[in-house]
């Protein structure tokens, strides 16, 4: 279907203009200036109306590229025994592929990498491919299931995906491999996994919880040196780790022979907005619990500066939905997809003077580039029509009771934030349209 977004404020990592975006057949077919829009309108007035569905914009309505999340937990597959949250009505309350995908669309996300710490763990191409096909059939977002580094995520042997001899001919090649909350304890196996990942062109994301965040980052870089790995550090949370990243990035550029191929990192919306005081209030061992934990104000501010300077490359949600009973029992994580944009717009743009272009680089263009998702992450003729319409000034009050995600746990409940996701299109199809 042909859709015309007329006179919107088009902002992405590379563009800042008022103009019109025309999409057709799931692709962006034209991006034209306000002046050209006017010229054509005058022509069309003489020879009949423009064809297609037209959305009229204004200066306050921002059109940007769909967000790209390098790190979310969709909780599928899950064994049936884990499905029920012993809700009194007997409803299944756990996150599903459907609820998480809808949460992503509502949050403005069109491409999402979901982690492999599922039950059973996604350690082979067939399982990842099956999940991807289900997501494709839903038609809400583009899902890229991560595959684990080790078999069953046990850290004892390479995952079936990495031990396949015929690399490159797999039914599915994940853009990212990860052991999620743990790294591989055995140095030799970790190095072998990185070497095999490099051969397959996949990024390796390290959560770096092994032996403390700072030590784990240095260890991952040391072990990855010379393997050809493209290493990505998940959810950096401390000033010390940001400082280590800064040093490591300088040391590894430009591609010194005994280091990793590329080194990138992410920060989460909750780590740039919240501190341990917020965790204390909610319960450090229950509803305020997250891995890595919320830190001090100095750390929070250091993360913001690291994002500004490019030491940290992207924002990733680490969307980690849990049922209330599981949170009460100490399961770590927050539901993040539906608040990420408003949190980042408020904290980075409104309170810390980031330009909107920088924000959209962190949310879309840079993660798309790191993952190697060609044709996604920015607005350009020929790219996939992954489009978000935002009201960046609109105030919202967070109410997780209204989340599409079944994970209702967020410390932002009741917060007043700036920024609303009005419309999301993935591959040219409308997948979210705000009710009001
Ligand atoms: Zn995670």
């Amino acid at each position: 279907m042909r859709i015309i977004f007329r006179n919107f404020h088009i902002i992405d990592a590379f563009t800042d203009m008022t103009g019109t975006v025309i999409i057709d057949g799931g692709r962006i077919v034209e991006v034209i200036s306000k002046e050209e829009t006017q010229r054509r309108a005058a022509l069309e007035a003489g020879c009949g109306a423009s064809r297609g569905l037209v959305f009229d914009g204004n200066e306050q309505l921002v059109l940007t590229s769909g967000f790209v999340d390098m790190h979310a937990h969709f909780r599928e597959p899950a064994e049936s025994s884990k499905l029920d949250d012993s809700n009194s009505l007997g409803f299944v309350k756990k996150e599903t592929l459907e609820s998480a995908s809808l949460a992503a669309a509502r949050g403005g996300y069109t491409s999402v990498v979901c982690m492999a710490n599922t039950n059973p763990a996604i350690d082979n191409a067939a399982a990842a491919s099956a999940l991807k096909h289900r997501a494709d059939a839903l038609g809400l977002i583009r899902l890229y299931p991560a595959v684990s580094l080790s078999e069953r995520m046990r850290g004892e042997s390479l995952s079936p995906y990495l031990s396949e001899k015929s690399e490159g001919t797999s039914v599915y090649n994940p853009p990212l491999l990860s052991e999620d909350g743990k790294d591989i304890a055995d140095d030799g196996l970790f190095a072998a996994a990185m070497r095999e990942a490099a051969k397959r062109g996949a990024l390796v994301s390290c959560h770096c919880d092994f032996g403390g965040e700072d030590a784990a980052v240095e260890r991952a870089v040391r072990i990855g040196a010379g393997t050809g790995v493209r290493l990505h550090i998940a959810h950096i949370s401390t000033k010390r780790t940001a400082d280590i990243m800064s040093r490591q990035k300088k040391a590894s550029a430009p591609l010194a022979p005994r280091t990793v191929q590329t080194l990138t990192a992410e920060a989460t919306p909750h780590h740039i907005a919240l501190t341990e005081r917020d965790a204390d209030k909610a319960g450090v061992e229950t509803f305020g619990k997250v891995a890595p934990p919320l830190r001090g104000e100095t750390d929070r501010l250091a993360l913001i500066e690291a994002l500004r300077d490019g030491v940290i490359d992207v924002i990733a949600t680490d969307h980690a939905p849990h049922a209330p009973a599981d949170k009460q029992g100490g399961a770590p994580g927050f539901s993040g997809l539906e608040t990420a944009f408003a949190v980042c717009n408020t904290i980075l743009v409104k309170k810390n003077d980031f330009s909107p272009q920088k924000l959209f680089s962190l949310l879309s263009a840079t993660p798309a580039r790191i993952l190697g998702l060609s044709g996604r992450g920015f607005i350009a003729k020929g790219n996939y029509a992954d489009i978000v319409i935002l009201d960046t000034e609109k105030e919202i009050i967070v109410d997780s009771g209204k989340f599409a995600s079944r994970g209702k746990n967020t410390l932002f409940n009741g917060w007043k934030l700036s920024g609303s996701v009005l419309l999301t299109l993935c591959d040219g199809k409308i997948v979210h349209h705000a009710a009001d």
Side-chain angles (χ1 to χ4, degrees), residues 55-121:
F55 287 93
D56 273 311
N58 61 49
E59 270 296 314
Q60 193 175 316
L61 294 182
V62 168
L63 182 154
T64 192
S65 189
F67 306 142
V68 178
D69 195 356
M70 295 181 69
H71 185 170
H73 296 269
F74 272 31
R75 307 293 185 219
E76 291 223 27
E79 273 174 3
S80 54
S81 62
K82 303 268 183 191
L83 279 178
D84 187 35
D85 171 33
S86 60
N87 173 294
S88 59
L89 297 172
F91 293 137
V92 172
K93 297 287 282 181
K94 195 199 128 290
E95 191 80 305
T96 62
L97 178 64
E98 289 79 1
S99 58
S101 301
L102 200 55
R106 283 203 195 173
Y109 283 90
T110 51
S111 295
V112 176
V113 173
C114 59
M115 287 294 154
N117 62 335
T118 50
N119 192 5

Side-chain angles (χ1 to χ4, degrees), residues 154-230:
R154 287 183 173 168
E156 291 162 2
S157 57
L158 286 181
S159 64
Y161 174 70
L162 287 182
S163 37
E164 276 170 25
K165 284 283 166 281
S166 49
E167 70 259 16
T169 59
S170 182
V171 289
Y172 168 72
N173 285 298
L176 183 151
L177 301 168
S178 180
E179 206 71 349
D180 200 67
K182 39 190 178 178
D183 286 337
I184 294 179
D186 182 282
D187 286 10
L189 186 65
F190 201 7
M194 292 195 197
R195 210 170 291 119
E196 291 301 323
K199 276 190 211 165
R200 290 160 175 78
L203 187 73
V204 172
S205 169
C206 290
H207 280 218
C208 288
D209 297 328
F210 186 73
E213 186 174 301
D214 316 332
V217 170
E218 290 187 313
R219 173 178 179 260
V221 174
R222 179 171 46 80
I223 292 173
T227 62
V229 73
R230 291 189 299 122

